[in-house]
PDB file of all heavy atoms in Angstrom:
ATOM      1  N   THR A  15      -2.214  51.986 -52.523  1.00 97.00           N
ATOM      2  CA  THR A  15      -1.564  52.651 -51.389  1.00 97.00           C
ATOM      3  C   THR A  15      -2.370  53.876 -51.007  1.00 97.00           C
ATOM      4  O   THR A  15      -2.754  54.678 -51.878  1.00 97.00           O
ATOM      5  CB  THR A  15      -0.135  53.071 -51.756  1.00 97.00           C
ATOM      6  OG1 THR A  15       0.610  51.914 -52.147  1.00 97.00           O
ATOM      7  CG2 THR A  15       0.556  53.750 -50.576  1.00 97.00           C
ATOM      8  N   ILE A  16      -2.661  54.021 -49.707  1.00 97.00           N
ATOM      9  CA  ILE A  16      -3.412  55.180 -49.226  1.00 97.00           C
ATOM     10  C   ILE A  16      -2.448  56.203 -48.640  1.00 97.00           C
ATOM     11  O   ILE A  16      -1.669  55.901 -47.737  1.00 97.00           O
ATOM     12  CB  ILE A  16      -4.445  54.760 -48.154  1.00 97.00           C
ATOM     13  CG1 ILE A  16      -5.471  53.796 -48.769  1.00 97.00           C
ATOM     14  CG2 ILE A  16      -5.134  55.987 -47.562  1.00 97.00           C
ATOM     15  CD1 ILE A  16      -6.472  53.252 -47.772  1.00 97.00           C
ATOM     16  N   GLU A  17      -2.495  57.411 -49.199  1.00 96.00           N
ATOM     17  CA  GLU A  17      -1.670  58.522 -48.726  1.00 96.00           C
ATOM     18  C   GLU A  17      -2.577  59.476 -47.944  1.00 96.00           C
ATOM     19  O   GLU A  17      -3.457  60.127 -48.515  1.00 96.00           O
ATOM     20  CB  GLU A  17      -1.047  59.260 -49.909  1.00 96.00           C
ATOM     21  CG  GLU A  17      -0.084  60.356 -49.537  1.00 96.00           C
ATOM     22  CD  GLU A  17       1.242  59.839 -48.989  1.00 96.00           C
ATOM     23  OE1 GLU A  17       1.670  58.735 -49.396  1.00 96.00           O
ATOM     24  OE2 GLU A  17       1.849  60.553 -48.166  1.00 96.00           O
ATOM     25  N   VAL A  18      -2.388  59.546 -46.624  1.00 96.00           N
ATOM     26  CA  VAL A  18      -3.262  60.370 -45.789  1.00 96.00           C
ATOM     27  C   VAL A  18      -2.816  61.834 -45.835  1.00 96.00           C
ATOM     28  O   VAL A  18      -1.661  62.156 -45.527  1.00 96.00           O
ATOM     29  CB  VAL A  18      -3.275  59.874 -44.333  1.00 96.00           C
ATOM     30  CG1 VAL A  18      -4.172  60.769 -43.477  1.00 96.00           C
ATOM     31  CG2 VAL A  18      -3.756  58.425 -44.274  1.00 96.00           C
ATOM     32  N   ILE A  19      -3.744  62.705 -46.232  1.00 92.00           N
ATOM     33  CA  ILE A  19      -3.510  64.148 -46.299  1.00 92.00           C
ATOM     34  C   ILE A  19      -4.658  64.826 -45.555  1.00 92.00           C
ATOM     35  O   ILE A  19      -5.822  64.472 -45.745  1.00 92.00           O
ATOM     36  CB  ILE A  19      -3.463  64.649 -47.759  1.00 92.00           C
ATOM     37  CG1 ILE A  19      -2.277  64.022 -48.494  1.00 92.00           C
ATOM     38  CG2 ILE A  19      -3.376  66.161 -47.817  1.00 92.00           C
ATOM     39  CD1 ILE A  19      -2.180  64.414 -49.960  1.00 92.00           C
ATOM     40  N   THR A  20      -4.354  65.784 -44.704  1.00 86.00           N
ATOM     41  CA  THR A  20      -5.391  66.400 -43.877  1.00 86.00           C
ATOM     42  C   THR A  20      -6.067  67.594 -44.532  1.00 86.00           C
ATOM     43  O   THR A  20      -7.110  68.043 -44.067  1.00 86.00           O
ATOM     44  CB  THR A  20      -4.813  66.843 -42.520  1.00 86.00           C
ATOM     45  OG1 THR A  20      -3.711  67.733 -42.744  1.00 86.00           O
ATOM     46  CG2 THR A  20      -4.322  65.639 -41.724  1.00 86.00           C
ATOM     47  N   GLY A  21      -5.511  68.104 -45.604  1.00 82.00           N
ATOM     48  CA  GLY A  21      -6.132  69.252 -46.267  1.00 82.00           C
ATOM     49  C   GLY A  21      -5.670  69.374 -47.704  1.00 82.00           C
ATOM     50  O   GLY A  21      -4.633  68.831 -48.095  1.00 82.00           O
ATOM     51  N   SER A  22      -6.467  70.061 -48.529  1.00 87.00           N
ATOM     52  CA  SER A  22      -6.138  70.287 -49.941  1.00 87.00           C
ATOM     53  C   SER A  22      -5.809  68.989 -50.664  1.00 87.00           C
ATOM     54  O   SER A  22      -4.828  68.891 -51.417  1.00 87.00           O
ATOM     55  CB  SER A  22      -4.967  71.271 -50.067  1.00 87.00           C
ATOM     56  OG  SER A  22      -5.283  72.507 -49.471  1.00 87.00           O
ATOM     57  N   VAL A  23      -6.659  67.989 -50.464  1.00 94.00           N
ATOM     58  CA  VAL A  23      -6.452  66.680 -51.084  1.00 94.00           C
ATOM     59  C   VAL A  23      -6.457  66.788 -52.600  1.00 94.00           C
ATOM     60  O   VAL A  23      -5.718  66.074 -53.287  1.00 94.00           O
ATOM     61  CB  VAL A  23      -7.541  65.698 -50.606  1.00 94.00           C
ATOM     62  CG1 VAL A  23      -7.460  64.373 -51.349  1.00 94.00           C
ATOM     63  CG2 VAL A  23      -7.425  65.468 -49.107  1.00 94.00           C
ATOM     64  N   GLU A  24      -7.245  67.698 -53.123  1.00 93.00           N
ATOM     65  CA  GLU A  24      -7.443  67.772 -54.570  1.00 93.00           C
ATOM     66  C   GLU A  24      -6.174  68.136 -55.351  1.00 93.00           C
ATOM     67  O   GLU A  24      -6.104  67.916 -56.563  1.00 93.00           O
ATOM     68  CB  GLU A  24      -8.553  68.768 -54.904  1.00 93.00           C
ATOM     69  CG  GLU A  24      -8.260  70.207 -54.525  1.00 93.00           C
ATOM     70  CD  GLU A  24      -8.562  70.524 -53.064  1.00 93.00           C
ATOM     71  OE1 GLU A  24      -9.042  69.637 -52.344  1.00 93.00           O
ATOM     72  OE2 GLU A  24      -8.288  71.673 -52.649  1.00 93.00           O
ATOM     73  N   ILE A  25      -5.153  68.695 -54.680  1.00 93.00           N
ATOM     74  CA  ILE A  25      -3.934  69.065 -55.401  1.00 93.00           C
ATOM     75  C   ILE A  25      -2.966  67.897 -55.528  1.00 93.00           C
ATOM     76  O   ILE A  25      -1.958  68.002 -56.226  1.00 93.00           O
ATOM     77  CB  ILE A  25      -3.212  70.238 -54.705  1.00 93.00           C
ATOM     78  CG1 ILE A  25      -2.592  69.796 -53.359  1.00 93.00           C
ATOM     79  CG2 ILE A  25      -4.140  71.420 -54.530  1.00 93.00           C
ATOM     80  CD1 ILE A  25      -1.630  70.794 -52.769  1.00 93.00           C
ATOM     81  N   ALA A  26      -3.265  66.769 -54.866  1.00 94.00           N
ATOM     82  CA  ALA A  26      -2.316  65.654 -54.810  1.00 94.00           C
ATOM     83  C   ALA A  26      -1.873  65.134 -56.177  1.00 94.00           C
ATOM     84  O   ALA A  26      -0.671  64.922 -56.396  1.00 94.00           O
ATOM     85  CB  ALA A  26      -2.890  64.520 -53.960  1.00 94.00           C
ATOM     86  N   PRO A  27      -2.776  64.891 -57.141  1.00 94.00           N
ATOM     87  CA  PRO A  27      -2.302  64.400 -58.445  1.00 94.00           C
ATOM     88  C   PRO A  27      -1.388  65.387 -59.167  1.00 94.00           C
ATOM     89  O   PRO A  27      -0.341  65.002 -59.701  1.00 94.00           O
ATOM     90  CB  PRO A  27      -3.603  64.162 -59.218  1.00 94.00           C
ATOM     91  CG  PRO A  27      -4.614  63.888 -58.152  1.00 94.00           C
ATOM     92  CD  PRO A  27      -4.247  64.825 -57.038  1.00 94.00           C
ATOM     93  N   ALA A  28      -1.750  66.666 -59.166  1.00 92.00           N
ATOM     94  CA  ALA A  28      -0.920  67.665 -59.845  1.00 92.00           C
ATOM     95  C   ALA A  28       0.428  67.823 -59.173  1.00 92.00           C
ATOM     96  O   ALA A  28       1.439  68.096 -59.839  1.00 92.00           O
ATOM     97  CB  ALA A  28      -1.647  69.016 -59.878  1.00 92.00           C
ATOM     98  N   ALA A  29       0.454  67.629 -57.837  1.00 92.00           N
ATOM     99  CA  ALA A  29       1.709  67.739 -57.091  1.00 92.00           C
ATOM    100  C   ALA A  29       2.503  66.433 -57.088  1.00 92.00           C
ATOM    101  O   ALA A  29       3.546  66.348 -56.447  1.00 92.00           O
ATOM    102  CB  ALA A  29       1.413  68.156 -55.654  1.00 92.00           C
ATOM    103  N   ARG A  30       1.986  65.432 -57.788  1.00 92.00           N
ATOM    104  CA  ARG A  30       2.612  64.106 -57.878  1.00 92.00           C
ATOM    105  C   ARG A  30       2.751  63.420 -56.513  1.00 92.00           C
ATOM    106  O   ARG A  30       3.649  62.617 -56.286  1.00 92.00           O
ATOM    107  CB  ARG A  30       3.982  64.207 -58.554  1.00 92.00           C
ATOM    108  CG  ARG A  30       3.907  64.745 -59.980  1.00 92.00           C
ATOM    109  CD  ARG A  30       5.256  64.803 -60.631  1.00 92.00           C
ATOM    110  NE  ARG A  30       5.166  65.359 -61.973  1.00 92.00           N
ATOM    111  CZ  ARG A  30       6.225  65.574 -62.769  1.00 92.00           C
ATOM    112  NH1 ARG A  30       7.443  65.285 -62.325  1.00 92.00           N
ATOM    113  NH2 ARG A  30       6.052  66.075 -63.975  1.00 92.00           N
ATOM    114  N   ILE A  31       1.831  63.747 -55.631  1.00 94.00           N
ATOM    115  CA  ILE A  31       1.777  63.084 -54.324  1.00 94.00           C
ATOM    116  C   ILE A  31       1.011  61.773 -54.447  1.00 94.00           C
ATOM    117  O   ILE A  31       1.293  60.802 -53.747  1.00 94.00           O
ATOM    118  CB  ILE A  31       1.106  64.002 -53.286  1.00 94.00           C
ATOM    119  CG1 ILE A  31       1.948  65.266 -53.083  1.00 94.00           C
ATOM    120  CG2 ILE A  31       0.890  63.288 -51.953  1.00 94.00           C
ATOM    121  CD1 ILE A  31       1.253  66.338 -52.257  1.00 94.00           C
ATOM    122  N   ALA A  32       0.035  61.748 -55.359  1.00 96.00           N
ATOM    123  CA  ALA A  32      -0.785  60.560 -55.544  1.00 96.00           C
ATOM    124  C   ALA A  32      -1.322  60.534 -56.967  1.00 96.00           C
ATOM    125  O   ALA A  32      -1.266  61.534 -57.692  1.00 96.00           O
ATOM    126  CB  ALA A  32      -1.935  60.559 -54.545  1.00 96.00           C
ATOM    127  N   ASP A  33      -1.851  59.366 -57.353  1.00 96.00           N
ATOM    128  CA  ASP A  33      -2.409  59.199 -58.700  1.00 96.00           C
ATOM    129  C   ASP A  33      -3.878  59.599 -58.757  1.00 96.00           C
ATOM    130  O   ASP A  33      -4.399  59.923 -59.830  1.00 96.00           O
ATOM    131  CB  ASP A  33      -2.285  57.738 -59.146  1.00 96.00           C
ATOM    132  CG  ASP A  33      -0.852  57.236 -59.083  1.00 96.00           C
ATOM    133  OD1 ASP A  33      -0.002  57.795 -59.809  1.00 96.00           O
ATOM    134  OD2 ASP A  33      -0.579  56.300 -58.299  1.00 96.00           O
ATOM    135  N   ALA A  34      -4.544  59.525 -57.614  1.00 97.00           N
ATOM    136  CA  ALA A  34      -5.977  59.801 -57.544  1.00 97.00           C
ATOM    137  C   ALA A  34      -6.300  60.330 -56.159  1.00 97.00           C
ATOM    138  O   ALA A  34      -5.439  60.330 -55.268  1.00 97.00           O
ATOM    139  CB  ALA A  34      -6.769  58.525 -57.834  1.00 97.00           C
ATOM    140  N   ILE A  35      -7.551  60.769 -55.970  1.00 97.00           N
ATOM    141  CA  ILE A  35      -7.948  61.252 -54.641  1.00 97.00           C
ATOM    142  C   ILE A  35      -9.276  60.621 -54.232  1.00 97.00           C
ATOM    143  O   ILE A  35     -10.061  60.163 -55.077  1.00 97.00           O
ATOM    144  CB  ILE A  35      -8.078  62.791 -54.598  1.00 97.00           C
ATOM    145  CG1 ILE A  35      -9.286  63.266 -55.418  1.00 97.00           C
ATOM    146  CG2 ILE A  35      -6.800  63.461 -55.076  1.00 97.00           C
ATOM    147  CD1 ILE A  35      -9.683  64.715 -55.160  1.00 97.00           C
ATOM    148  N   PHE A  36      -9.508  60.613 -52.940  1.00 97.00           N
ATOM    149  CA  PHE A  36     -10.791  60.205 -52.363  1.00 97.00           C
ATOM    150  C   PHE A  36     -11.178  61.299 -51.391  1.00 97.00           C
ATOM    151  O   PHE A  36     -10.537  61.496 -50.362  1.00 97.00           O
ATOM    152  CB  PHE A  36     -10.640  58.863 -51.641  1.00 97.00           C
ATOM    153  CG  PHE A  36     -11.897  58.393 -50.964  1.00 97.00           C
ATOM    154  CD1 PHE A  36     -13.032  58.113 -51.702  1.00 97.00           C
ATOM    155  CD2 PHE A  36     -11.943  58.223 -49.592  1.00 97.00           C
ATOM    156  CE1 PHE A  36     -14.198  57.673 -51.088  1.00 97.00           C
ATOM    157  CE2 PHE A  36     -13.096  57.781 -48.965  1.00 97.00           C
ATOM    158  CZ  PHE A  36     -14.225  57.499 -49.718  1.00 97.00           C
ATOM    159  N   ASP A  37     -12.243  62.056 -51.735  1.00 95.00           N
ATOM    160  CA  ASP A  37     -12.534  63.252 -50.951  1.00 95.00           C
ATOM    161  C   ASP A  37     -14.022  63.598 -51.026  1.00 95.00           C
ATOM    162  O   ASP A  37     -14.784  63.004 -51.792  1.00 95.00           O
ATOM    163  CB  ASP A  37     -11.698  64.418 -51.480  1.00 95.00           C
ATOM    164  CG  ASP A  37     -11.544  65.556 -50.474  1.00 95.00           C
ATOM    165  OD1 ASP A  37     -11.779  65.322 -49.269  1.00 95.00           O
ATOM    166  OD2 ASP A  37     -11.186  66.676 -50.883  1.00 95.00           O
ATOM    167  N   ILE A  38     -14.405  64.598 -50.223  1.00 92.00           N
ATOM    168  CA  ILE A  38     -15.777  65.096 -50.231  1.00 92.00           C
ATOM    169  C   ILE A  38     -16.037  65.874 -51.526  1.00 92.00           C
ATOM    170  O   ILE A  38     -15.211  66.681 -51.950  1.00 92.00           O
ATOM    171  CB  ILE A  38     -16.021  66.015 -49.017  1.00 92.00           C
ATOM    172  CG1 ILE A  38     -16.068  65.187 -47.733  1.00 92.00           C
ATOM    173  CG2 ILE A  38     -17.313  66.798 -49.171  1.00 92.00           C
ATOM    174  CD1 ILE A  38     -16.240  66.013 -46.482  1.00 92.00           C
ATOM    175  N   VAL A  39     -17.181  65.613 -52.132  1.00 93.00           N
ATOM    176  CA  VAL A  39     -17.609  66.338 -53.322  1.00 93.00           C
ATOM    177  C   VAL A  39     -18.997  66.899 -53.065  1.00 93.00           C
ATOM    178  O   VAL A  39     -19.889  66.178 -52.607  1.00 93.00           O
ATOM    179  CB  VAL A  39     -17.642  65.417 -54.561  1.00 93.00           C
ATOM    180  CG1 VAL A  39     -18.125  66.193 -55.787  1.00 93.00           C
ATOM    181  CG2 VAL A  39     -16.272  64.803 -54.819  1.00 93.00           C
ATOM    182  N   SER A  40     -19.168  68.178 -53.319  1.00 87.00           N
ATOM    183  CA  SER A  40     -20.497  68.794 -53.216  1.00 87.00           C
ATOM    184  C   SER A  40     -20.966  69.177 -54.613  1.00 87.00           C
ATOM    185  O   SER A  40     -21.724  68.461 -55.238  1.00 87.00           O
ATOM    186  CB  SER A  40     -20.462  70.006 -52.285  1.00 87.00           C
ATOM    187  OG  SER A  40     -20.171  69.610 -50.961  1.00 87.00           O
ATOM    188  N   SER A  41     -20.480  70.279 -55.118  1.00 85.00           N
ATOM    189  CA  SER A  41     -20.868  70.701 -56.462  1.00 85.00           C
ATOM    190  C   SER A  41     -19.965  70.122 -57.543  1.00 85.00           C
ATOM    191  O   SER A  41     -20.350  70.035 -58.703  1.00 85.00           O
ATOM    192  CB  SER A  41     -20.835  72.230 -56.551  1.00 85.00           C
ATOM    193  OG  SER A  41     -19.503  72.692 -56.418  1.00 85.00           O
ATOM    194  N   GLY A  42     -18.750  69.747 -57.173  1.00 85.00           N
ATOM    195  CA  GLY A  42     -17.796  69.240 -58.151  1.00 85.00           C
ATOM    196  C   GLY A  42     -16.908  70.318 -58.744  1.00 85.00           C
ATOM    197  O   GLY A  42     -16.000  70.023 -59.528  1.00 85.00           O
ATOM    198  N   SER A  43     -17.131  71.576 -58.355  1.00 90.00           N
ATOM    199  CA  SER A  43     -16.358  72.676 -58.938  1.00 90.00           C
ATOM    200  C   SER A  43     -14.877  72.600 -58.561  1.00 90.00           C
ATOM    201  O   SER A  43     -14.007  72.963 -59.359  1.00 90.00           O
ATOM    202  CB  SER A  43     -16.950  74.017 -58.499  1.00 90.00           C
ATOM    203  OG  SER A  43     -16.931  74.139 -57.082  1.00 90.00           O
ATOM    204  N   THR A  44     -14.581  72.121 -57.353  1.00 90.00           N
ATOM    205  CA  THR A  44     -13.181  72.015 -56.933  1.00 90.00           C
ATOM    206  C   THR A  44     -12.445  70.980 -57.779  1.00 90.00           C
ATOM    207  O   THR A  44     -11.274  71.170 -58.141  1.00 90.00           O
ATOM    208  CB  THR A  44     -13.090  71.635 -55.442  1.00 90.00           C
ATOM    209  OG1 THR A  44     -13.751  72.624 -54.668  1.00 90.00           O
ATOM    210  CG2 THR A  44     -11.639  71.541 -54.992  1.00 90.00           C
ATOM    211  N   LEU A  45     -13.127  69.902 -58.105  1.00 93.00           N
ATOM    212  CA  LEU A  45     -12.510  68.888 -58.975  1.00 93.00           C
ATOM    213  C   LEU A  45     -12.207  69.477 -60.349  1.00 93.00           C
ATOM    214  O   LEU A  45     -11.109  69.294 -60.892  1.00 93.00           O
ATOM    215  CB  LEU A  45     -13.434  67.675 -59.122  1.00 93.00           C
ATOM    216  CG  LEU A  45     -13.726  66.850 -57.876  1.00 93.00           C
ATOM    217  CD1 LEU A  45     -14.627  65.674 -58.219  1.00 93.00           C
ATOM    218  CD2 LEU A  45     -12.443  66.359 -57.224  1.00 93.00           C
TER     219      LEU A  45
END
């Protein structure tokens, strides 16, 4: 299931919005 979020995708697992994320990664520090 794809859950569309327009911002702060990385908080989705901790917020129990989703099990995983698909997002832009540069340095990886945000992950």
